[in-house]
Amino acid sequence: MNNDNKNKEKIMIRKYRYGNPFPTGAVACEIAAEKKEQTAFRLNAEGEFTLALAPEDCVYGLGEAVRGINKRGWHYESCNEDDPIITEKRTALYGAHNFIVVAGKKGVFGAFFDCADRVLFDIGYTDPDELRVKAVADFDLYIVEGKSAVEVVREFRKLIGDSYIPPKWAFGFGQSRWGYRCEADIREVADGYAESDMPLDMIYLDIDYMDHYKDFTVNKERYPDLKALAADMKKRGIRLIPIIDAGVKVEKGYDIYEEGVEKGYFCKDAEGEPYVVGVWPGDSVFPDVLNPEARKWFGSKYRILLDEGIEGFWNDMNEPSIFYSKKRLAGVLEKVASARGRNMPLEEYHGILGAIGTLANNRADYAEFFHDTPNGTVSHLSVHNLFGCYMTRAAAEYFEEYQPDKRYLLFSRSSHIGMHRYGGIWTGDNASWWTHLLLNLKMLPSLNMCGFLYVGADIGGFGDNTSEDLLLRWTALGIFTPLMRNHSTLDTRMQECFRFKDKKTFRNLLGIRYALVPWLYSEFVKSATRGDMMFRPLAFDFPDDRRARTVEDQLMVGEGLMIAPVYEQNAAGRYVYLPEEMKMIRMRSATDYEETMLSAGDHYLEIPLTETVFFLRKGHALPLAEPAKCVDALDETKLRWIVSGNAAEYEMYVGNGESKSELKTALRKLKVPQEKK
C-alpha cells in the first residue's frame, strides 16, 4: 500500500490512530498512520466524529443491519447480539461491520472504524443533516478515497484481504431444520427430495446430533454410525453439515472439557478459574479463541468430525450467546422465590419479569470473564465483537493445516470484518415474515462491501410458520444468493419444499438455481479474487441516475444481471425501474423461458408464483447448464446461452471447485453465440 507523503495523489487509503487500539485482525496489509489527523470528520465535544450530510448524500454499508440499503435516518450499534426478534427498532444484530461509504454531490469516500469494542453510528437520527460516529474504545480510522462507490469498496477490500471461497458444491441447495433428531429423519429428507425430483446438495445437522449438546460428539443412539451415513449421503450427492456451538459443556469425563481445563484454554474469571455460564448443555465454558494456543487447540477438534467424512460446518451461538451467568441466575431465582405465596402488586410483578429479562446476554456478565491474548489479559467485554470471528478463524486455520489445498464449507452466525477471509455468514434467526424477505435482499450489498460474499438468509424464515407463497417467493430470491439454505426451528411448520402442494414450481425454481450454478460460481469467484461486490445497489452501477439512488428493492448481481424479486403477500407482480434498456428473462423452468427487450423506465410486470423474472444488461451473456440432482452431476460442457446485445465472450470458472490450486487454471474465456433475433 503506497503511503508516501510525496505522492499524495496516489494514496487511496489513509490511516489515523486514536489511542492504543487492540488489534482486531481485520486489516490484511498494514499501512503507516498519518501524523496529522486531517480526516473528513470533525471531532465534537462529546467525542463523536461528525460529518455534515447534504440532502442528496447516501450512506451505505454496516454489513448486517436492519432497515434500508441507504442507512440514513436511523442509529446503529456494532455490538454482536443474539436476539431472535429482529424488527426495525433493533440497533444491533449478530455482526460488527464498521465500514461505511458516503456518496453524494461532493464526491465519494469510505470510512472504516477498526475497533474491537462497540462503535455507535448515528446516521441522521439525532440530526437529519449530520452523521455521528463514536467508538467506546481506542481504534484505527481508515479513510478510503475513490472516484466512485465501486472504486472505494474495491480499495477497501484490498486493505482487508481476499474473501473466502467455498467449494463449488456449496452453491447447491441445502435443507436444514432444528429438529432432525435422528438418522431416519435425515434419510426421510433425502428421500423426499429425491422422490419429488428436486435437487439437493446439503443436509444440515442442528444441535440434535450431539451427545447432550457436547461439541464434537455424536449421539450414538440417534446416529449410530455417522461416518457410514455421511458416506451414503455423499454417494447420493449430499453432504452433511453439522453445527458447532461456542459453549463447551462442563462435565467430568468429557475429554474436550477436561483437556481444556488442564491446559488453561477456556476463558477465565477474575480468580483465574474457567468462567461458567448457561447455554444449551447447561453449565458451559468458552474456548479462549483470542489466545493463539487455545485457538489452535480448539480448531484441531474439528478433525473429530472431519474423520467422520464431514466436509463443512456452521458455527453458531458465537457472539457468544449466554442464557445466564451462574451468579445472576442465583440472584433472580432468589427474587422469584421471595414472591412465593404473596399477593404481588403490578409493579412488583413487572419487576420480577424484568429481572428474568436481564439473564440472557447481559453486558455486565461479559465484563466478568477474560482472555489471554498476545497483548495481555483483556476483559471479554472489550473484545466481545471478535469472538465469533476468531472461533471461525480457529476452524479455517486448522483446515489449512489438515488439508492445505482442500476447500471446506464454513460459515458463522457472529462475525467481524476480517472473518470474511475465513468463512461466510448466514444472517441469523430471521422469521417467516414478508418483511424479512425484503430485509434479506437489502443486506446483501452491505455485506459484500465488508468482504462477505458467501452469504444468505434462512429461506422461508427460521422462526414462526411459513406459508407456501412466502416460501416460493423467498426461494425465487434464494436462487441468486451464494448460500441457499431452507432452515426452520423446532415446533414450527415443516417447510421442506417437497412437503407443499405445488411441487412442480418448487422443482422448477430449484432447477433454475442449478442451471445458474456455473454462472453464479463464476461471478462469485471473480468478485472474490478481484475485490468486487457481487450484489450492488443500482446507484453503484448508475451513479448519475438520481432515480437509481432511491431504488432499494432491486439489485445488480455479477457483471450484468439485475434482480427485482416480489416480496409482498398476494402480489400479482410489481413495478420495476430499468435505468437503461435491458433484456427481461421470464423463466418458468430452466428450459422454459422467454426473452424480451424492455426500454428504460418504469414497467409493471405480472409475475405469478410459477415464474421467476430477472434482467440482463446489453453486452452481457448468461450461461445455463442442464439441471442436475446435485452440483457434482452438472455437465458444464453443454451450455445454453442467454445473450443481450453484442457479447463476445464470457469468463467462466470450470472444474469441480474443490481445491484451492484449481482456481489458478480454472478460468476460461468462452465464446458467446450471437443473440437470437
Side-chain angles (χ1 to χ4, degrees):
M1 191 76 62
N2 185 356
N3 201 32
D4 186 347
N5 286 332
K6 295 179 182 179
N7 296 288
K8 289 263 185 188
E9 69 278 3
K10 295 182 181 179
I11 297 174
M12 303 297 289
I13 301 179
R14 290 181 169 85
K15 174 182 176 180
Y16 305 92
R17 173 154 286 184
Y18 297 88
N20 184 30
F22 184 90
T24 66
V27 170
C29 52
E30 287 296 334
I31 62 175
E34 296 278 344
K35 293 180 180 179
K36 294 182 179 180
E37 299 175 357
Q38 297 176 342
T39 76
F41 295 95
R42 293 173 178 262
L43 194 59
N44 67 17
E46 287 74 39
E48 297 171 322
F49 286 78
T50 67
L51 179 75
L53 294 174
E56 65 269 26
D57 289 346
C58 295
V59 181
Y60 302 102
L62 297 184
E64 185 182 69
V66 297
R67 299 197 172 222
I69 293 175
N70 181 358
K71 295 297 187 288
R72 287 192 68 162
W74 192 240
H75 56 117
Y76 307 86
E77 180 179 11
S78 285
C79 180
N80 295 1
E81 183 177 273
D82 173 24
D83 183 346
I85 309 301
I86 300 174
T87 62
E88 286 192 16
K89 72 178 182 180
R90 292 282 297 278
T91 59
L93 294 178
Y94 302 97
H97 308 134
N98 304 324
F99 176 58
I100 58 173
V101 171
V102 181
K105 191 174 183 179
K106 294 182 180 180
V108 183
F109 78 95
F112 173 44
F113 292 79
D114 189 9
C115 181
D117 209 328
R118 291 185 301 146
V119 181
L120 311 176
F121 294 85
D122 181 334
I123 308 178
Y125 174 72
T126 301
D127 181 338
D129 300 318
E130 191 172 57
L131 165 65
R132 302 178 182 179
V133 183
K134 184 172 184 178
V136 304
D138 295 345
F139 64 97
D140 287 328
L141 170 61
Y142 295 86
I143 299 296
V144 188
E145 301 170 356
K147 296 178 181 178
S148 67
V150 170
E151 186 178 31
V152 167
V153 172
R154 192 175 290 138
E155 290 300 315
F156 177 63
R157 295 270 298 279
K158 289 179 186 176
L159 176 71
I160 62 176
D162 293 341
S163 297
Y164 158 80
I165 301 175
K168 194 174 197 173
W169 54 259
F171 290 82
F173 173 64
Q175 182 62 57
S176 182
R177 181 175 173 83
W178 176 17
Y180 295 156
R181 295 179 58 82
C182 61
E183 179 176 329
D185 290 345
I186 300 302
R187 293 190 179 279
E188 179 189 352
V189 171
D191 291 344
Y193 276 97
E195 291 164 5
S196 299
D197 196 24
M198 298 179 189
L200 186 66
D201 265 270
M202 292 156 282
I203 297 179
Y204 290 82
L205 306 179
D206 212 311
I207 56 178
D208 308 280
Y209 83 92
M210 301 179 189
D211 177 17
H212 293 88
Y213 308 126
K214 291 183 288 188
D215 276 344
F216 309 111
T217 67
V218 179
N219 186 313
K220 294 299 183 180
E221 291 184 5
R222 295 180 176 184
Y223 294 89
D225 192 340
L226 181 64
K227 190 170 188 176
L229 177 63
D232 186 32
M233 288 294 114
K234 190 171 180 179
K235 288 178 184 176
R236 302 174 62 170
I238 298 170
R239 268 85 170 180
L240 299 181
I241 313 297
I243 194 172
I244 302 294
D245 280 341
V248 173
K249 186 177 184 181
V250 174
E251 180 179 280
K252 289 184 178 180
Y254 174 30
D255 56 350
I256 292 175
Y257 167 71
E258 291 194 337
E259 183 182 352
V261 170
E262 179 187 349
K263 295 183 176 181
Y265 286 162
F266 295 123
C267 295
K268 301 176 182 67
D269 61 19
E271 286 71 45
E273 296 297 320
Y275 186 71
V276 180
V277 299
V279 201
W280 293 118
D283 287 357
S284 304
V285 289
F286 294 128
D288 187 1
V289 289
L290 272 70
N291 174 347
E293 290 184 11
R295 183 167 67 248
K296 185 174 182 179
W297 167 79
F298 189 75
S300 71
K301 298 307 174 185
Y302 285 77
R303 172 73 179 268
I304 295 169
L305 292 171
L306 293 173
D307 287 346
E308 296 291 302
I310 298 302
E311 298 178 72
F313 300 88
W314 50 307
N315 289 339
D316 198 4
M317 303 293 289
N318 54 348
E319 290 69 37
S321 182
I322 296 176
F323 292 169
Y324 58 83
S325 69
K326 302 282 283 184
K327 178 180 176 182
R328 190 170 305 280
L329 178 63
V332 171
L333 291 177
E334 184 177 337
K335 187 168 187 175
V336 172
S338 69
R340 187 189 299 273
R342 293 193 296 105
N343 180 25
M344 287 189 295
L346 180 65
E347 293 80 8
E348 187 175 350
Y349 169 72
H350 282 294
I352 288 178
L353 289 182
I356 294 172
T358 67
L359 285 174
N361 303 315
N362 194 298
R363 289 187 58 79
D365 294 333
Y366 290 133
E368 294 195 349
F369 63 97
F370 301 85
H371 295 271
D372 293 326
T373 80
N375 291 68
T377 300
V378 296
S379 162
H380 173 80
L381 185 62
S382 65
V383 292
H384 171 73
N385 290 345
L386 299 181
F387 189 92
C389 171
Y390 276 75
M391 178 183 171
T392 299
R393 178 178 173 179
E397 289 178 337
Y398 180 73
F399 298 160
E400 184 72 22
E401 177 184 318
Y402 176 63
Q403 283 188 300
D405 194 41
K406 184 178 175 65
R407 284 188 264 161
Y408 288 92
L409 173 59
L410 181 63
F411 60 93
S412 169
R413 187 171 74 178
S414 178
S415 62
H416 186 279
I417 291 179
M419 199 201 81
H420 70 285
R421 300 192 296 271
Y422 306 110
I425 65 171
W426 93 100
T427 55
D429 294 346
N430 62 6
S432 298
W433 302 342
W434 290 90
T435 53
H436 279 187
L437 166 54
L438 180 58
L439 182 60
N440 179 183
L441 181 81
K442 292 184 177 183
M443 280 187 185
L444 293 170
S446 302
L447 287 165
N448 278 196
M449 289 173 65
C450 298
F452 293 97
L453 299 184
Y454 190 74
V455 295
D458 287 341
I459 291 171
F462 175 70
D464 298 326
N465 294 308
T466 197
S467 60
E468 184 165 0
D469 58 340
L470 174 59
L471 185 57
L472 283 167
R473 293 298 195 193
W474 211 323
T475 303
L477 168 61
I479 62 178
F480 295 98
T481 61
L483 170 55
M484 185 184 187
R485 180 176 79 153
N486 178 324
H487 185 41
S488 57
T489 188
L490 202 65
D491 298 326
T492 61
R493 180 182 192 178
M494 301 288 282
Q495 63 183 47
E496 294 81 5
C497 298
F498 63 82
R499 299 188 189 277
F500 291 87
K501 181 178 181 181
D502 192 359
K503 291 181 176 59
K504 180 180 178 181
T505 298
F506 280 111
R507 184 184 307 117
N508 288 337
L509 284 172
L510 295 177
I512 294 170
R513 165 61 172 221
Y514 279 73
L516 288 170
V517 163
W519 170 83
L520 185 71
Y521 176 72
S522 297
E523 295 302 307
F524 181 97
V525 177
K526 285 184 282 188
S527 297
T529 55
R530 299 171 185 176
D532 288 326
M533 297 168 62
M534 189 168 175
F535 295 92
R536 300 175 304 283
L538 267 61
F540 278 39
D541 285 36
F542 304 95
D544 297 326
D545 186 330
R546 292 177 60 86
R547 174 72 181 282
R549 290 183 223 155
T550 67
V551 176
E552 296 213 346
D553 58 357
Q554 302 170 208
L555 294 179
M556 304 305 300
V557 187
E559 292 179 354
L561 194 134
M562 187 181 78
I563 59 173
V566 178
Y567 54 86
E568 293 182 327
Q569 185 176 8
N570 298 322
R574 58 161 293 169
Y575 280 96
V576 175
Y577 173 67
L578 302 186
E580 64 182 15
E581 184 182 35
M582 292 185 185
K583 176 173 281 190
M584 178 182 70
I585 297 96
R586 182 182 292 273
M587 302 193 88
R588 289 170 285 275
S589 74
T591 56
D592 179 11
Y593 54 87
E594 299 171 5
E595 306 173 33
T596 309
M597 291 302 299
L598 295 181
S599 61
D602 292 293
H603 300 266
Y604 179 79
L605 303 175
E606 290 189 2
I607 308 175
L609 288 167
T610 54
E611 295 182 353
T612 298
V613 172
F614 54 93
F615 307 84
L616 193 62
R617 295 185 72 178
K618 294 180 75 172
H620 292 272
L622 179 68
L624 296 173
E626 292 297 320
K629 67 174 184 177
C630 63
V631 170
D632 288 344
L634 286 171
D635 183 357
E636 295 178 342
T637 66
K638 299 176 181 178
L639 297 173
R640 286 172 292 109
W641 293 89
I642 296 175
V643 185
S644 180
N646 298 317
E649 63 181 24
Y650 179 77
E651 291 184 307
M652 193 170 96
Y653 276 88
V654 300
N656 62 27
E658 292 197 24
S659 74
K660 297 174 183 175
S661 58
E662 180 192 69
L663 289 173
K664 299 174 184 177
T665 59
L667 186 62
R668 301 282 188 274
K669 291 186 177 181
L670 304 182
K671 262 193 170 182
V672 173
Q674 293 296 308
E675 180 181 20
K676 294 178 181 179
K677 300 296 183 181

